[in-house]
Amino acid sequence: MPSRIVKRTAKLADGRDLIYYDDADTRLGPERRIDTRRLEPRPPTAVMRQDVLTGEWISIAAARQSRVVLPPADRDPLAPQTPGNPSEIPDQYDVAVFENRSPSFGPALGNGAAEAGPVPAGLDDMVALGFDRELVAVGRCEVVCFSPAPEGSFGDLTPGRARTVIEAWADRTAELSALPGVEQVFPFENRGEAIGVTLPHPHGQIYAYPYVTPRTTRVLDSVRRLGPDLFQRILDRERAGGRVVLAGERWTAFVPFAARWPIEVHLLPHRQIPDFAATDEAERDELATLYLRLLRGIDALYDDPTPYIAAWHQAPVHTGRDTVRLHLQLTSIRRGADKIKYLAGSESAMGAFIADIPPDVAAARIREAVASVRVPPPRPVRG
């Protein structure tokens, strides 16, 4: 942790991990109330089954059916606990991270989950293909609460708070990558009911998968075919072209050449970095402001907030560390002020996308919107 961002660990009533990250200029004291709720035991770890036609693994997590959907503000499960709201977080916080109670992966880890059934035996086991393959869905899913505010998203944060969240992403990436059985760590934020968000509270999630995801598997194949400097070559070509929407000393955002979505922006660091844990202080500091400008620019495209998925792709834990680069893929299904791109037959069934808006046209609109917003620099912190 940087000297002024403080990490504090705790446990929830059913034994799940809870981690607080205090802002550099926090007004909170060091003590936190304990969780005194009486909770039922956690549901058993989900299973995953392999699709023999594609080799992909499908997690079957029936406990997710019982999760809270759009509760009233006084029953917000991500707000600090009150006498009338026995939420997941027992005290006030700046940024808080906790284990999901009904996760898609975990809480069982590695060979310690063997009593629940067959467990993954490493990457070779996960890519092997066969009929009726079912394994325990080891791993972990965490919720990242960006703020105690009842509504909002990452783009509503102050630069100082954004910096704390980035620190949490880096710390959790390092911690989760060290867990047995974890092969890839994925921080993301879903924003808007049109995307399927079930809680308006500003938050994101982190998945720790027991396999390398299908998209990353295809990226690794492209790296093998085109060379280990693939990401640098992409960045150089985009920075020399006309689709850059925002650039700093250490990061550049652009609409990709073959954008699938009506709104799609990629944000890359200027050097080879496998994940958040490998970023340095200067990269995290610049990202806090640059990312806020990008998100606020996306919101400035229309009169009301833009639904999006902010997906932070990271290199797998055990492969591609020197070639796969940390990057954001920000996408939105919004193709107009009152139009949504639904994934119909070609996209959903065949994975064959048809773009509604030319990427160069989208880049010009997004660049203009980003230029119209301003993010003040973080306030200086004493001491």
Side-chain angles (χ1 to χ4, degrees):
M1 293 291 104
S3 60
R4 295 187 295 267
I5 295 177
V6 179
K7 173 184 177 182
R8 306 181 190 281
T9 60
K11 292 285 185 181
L12 294 176
D14 55 4
R16 286 175 292 150
D17 287 332
L18 168 65
I19 309 101
Y20 296 103
Y21 296 88
D22 295 351
D23 290 342
D25 58 352
T26 188
R27 296 183 179 181
L28 299 176
E31 300 299 323
R32 299 291 191 276
R33 290 195 299 267
I34 64 170
D35 185 13
T36 59
R37 295 174 297 171
R38 291 181 177 270
L39 298 177
E40 295 294 326
R42 299 185 67 183
T45 299
V47 299
M48 53 187 178
R49 292 181 174 180
Q50 188 183 50
D51 179 352
V52 73
L53 292 176
T54 66
E56 296 177 3
W57 288 93
I58 314 300
S59 178
I60 302 171
R64 285 170 50 83
Q65 282 284 68
S66 62
R67 65 190 189 276
V68 177
V69 177
L70 300 175
D74 62 353
R75 303 296 290 180
D76 178 0
L78 306 185
Q81 284 182 13
T82 65
N85 181 19
S87 73
E88 289 280 56
I89 306 175
D91 209 341
Q92 292 294 325
Y93 65 90
D94 294 329
V95 172
V97 179
F98 63 89
E99 287 185 78
N100 196 317
R101 180 163 172 77
S102 300
S104 303
F105 301 94
L109 291 166
N111 292 329
E115 69 276 5
V119 298
L123 285 176
D124 289 342
D125 184 35
M126 299 307 295
V127 300
L129 193 62
F131 285 95
D132 301 328
R133 297 196 69 203
E134 181 176 282
L135 299 173
V136 178
V138 300
R140 183 171 296 200
C141 295
E142 297 185 340
V143 179
V144 183
C145 298
F146 301 154
S147 162
E151 295 184 351
S153 60
F154 193 102
D156 298 316
L157 304 179
T158 65
R161 176 61 53 77
R163 180 65 180 80
T164 305
V165 175
I166 291 167
E167 198 66 34
W169 285 339
D171 183 64
R172 297 316 301 155
T173 294
E175 294 283 338
L176 295 175
S177 296
L179 294 178
V182 169
E183 298 293 345
Q184 189 168 13
V185 178
F186 173 50
F188 63 99
E189 179 192 6
N190 296 328
R191 194 276 189 94
E193 288 187 43
I195 295 295
V197 171
T198 58
L199 295 174
H201 194 109
H203 74 288
Q205 301 177 67
I206 305 177
Y207 278 16
Y209 299 102
Y211 52 76
V212 177
T213 60
R215 182 187 187 277
T216 305
T217 298
R218 297 185 70 176
V219 169
L220 287 165
D221 182 59
S222 293
V223 168
R224 282 191 290 268
R225 295 168 65 182
L226 295 175
D229 62 342
L230 176 57
F231 276 92
Q232 188 60 49
R233 289 159 62 192
I234 291 172
L235 181 61
D236 291 344
R237 293 173 72 91
E238 294 292 354
R239 282 172 59 84
R243 289 183 298 273
V244 170
V245 300
L246 181 63
E249 294 181 15
R250 298 169 177 85
W251 301 83
T252 292
F254 56 88
V255 175
F257 173 75
R260 289 171 170 79
W261 302 93
I263 299 172
E264 181 168 356
V265 178
H266 293 191
L267 175 63
L268 268 68
H270 291 177
R271 68 184 180 99
Q272 173 57 35
I273 305 169
D275 54 28
F276 273 114
T279 56
D280 61 30
E281 292 294 308
E283 287 159 339
R284 297 178 194 182
D285 289 344
E286 182 178 271
L287 180 61
T289 301
L290 208 70
Y291 188 28
L292 289 177
R293 284 188 61 198
L294 176 60
L295 292 178
R296 294 178 189 182
I298 295 297
D299 269 353
L301 287 168
Y302 300 104
D303 292 335
D304 55 341
T306 298
Y308 65 74
I309 297 173
W312 285 99
H313 297 278
Q314 305 194 103
V317 174
H318 298 114
T319 186
R321 304 289 294 175
D322 296 331
T323 57
V324 177
R325 185 173 300 196
L326 167 71
H327 63 285
L328 169 72
Q329 180 189 29
L330 179 72
T331 59
S332 177
I333 57 177
R334 192 172 195 174
R335 60 186 179 92
D338 57 356
K339 296 178 181 179
I340 295 293
K341 177 180 177 64
Y342 295 99
L343 298 191
S346 185
E347 288 92 353
S348 292
M350 300 302 289
F353 274 72
I354 293 91
D356 302 277
I357 301 173
D360 300 85
V361 173
R365 294 184 59 233
I366 295 170
R367 183 166 52 246
E368 181 179 357
V370 169
S372 72
V373 302
R374 180 179 176 273
V375 176
R379 292 181 297 173
V381 179
R382 297 178 179 178

